[in-house]
Amino acid sequence: MTDNLTGVWDGTFVQRQVGMVTFLATLIESGGALTGNVTEPCTVPACPISTHNASIAGHRSGSAVSFIKRYEPPGHGYGTVSYEGSVNAEATEIDGRWKVPGTADSGTFLMVRSSKPAEAVAAEQRTKEPAP
């Protein structure tokens, strides 16, 4: 796998009691280090701002990707979130799990290069899964 992760990514994460939340991430990969930023809607009831901004700092080693998303400014129920996942062979999708450090809050996430919206890929994956 040699494809660089630098680019714009459409993402979704699933949050308990909220459901699917969409976000837009810009990643920059240099020598395995990942940096970037994220914008996403505030999902906390009565949130005084409609959109949150966050920075990303992490790394990639082969197909393994991990980063910390740090909300700027923190507050309104938002601080830092750790993400761990894997990138596919074409470097067009990253999927895995997120967790709020020090809490039981966690869930899944999917990021897709912006040429194909993450919600469409998530829907395609659900149709491919065997019925329970």
Side-chain angles (χ1 to χ4, degrees):
M1 177 182 319
T2 60
D3 289 329
N4 190 290
L5 300 183
T6 297
V8 178
W9 296 76
D10 292 303
T12 60
F13 61 86
V14 178
Q15 186 175 6
R16 202 173 17 154
Q17 299 178 348
V18 173
M20 188 179 292
V21 178
T22 60
F23 63 91
L24 182 66
T26 302
L27 299 181
I28 299 168
E29 181 181 4
S30 178
L34 282 178
T35 59
N37 58 63
V38 173
T39 57
E40 68 188 55
C42 186
T43 59
V44 175
C47 190
I49 57 177
S50 61
T51 303
H52 282 286
N53 294 306
S55 62
I56 289 176
H59 66 277
R60 171 191 178 192
S61 178
S63 64
V65 177
S66 64
F67 58 88
I68 300 291
K69 179 170 68 174
R70 189 174 315 278
Y71 289 92
E72 300 168 353
H76 314 293
Y78 295 78
T80 60
V81 181
S82 62
Y83 285 74
E84 291 191 9
S86 58
V87 61
N88 67 353
E90 298 80 25
T92 56
E93 297 180 18
I94 304 169
D95 71 312
R97 296 200 57 83
W98 61 267
K99 180 170 182 9
V100 176
T103 74
D105 293 340
S106 66
T108 59
F109 76 93
L110 172 67
M111 297 169 63
V112 178
R113 287 215 192 248
S114 64
S115 62
K116 188 173 188 182
E119 291 166 307
V121 172
E124 285 176 15
Q125 287 179 343
R126 283 192 297 272
T127 62
K128 293 177 186 175
E129 292 175 359

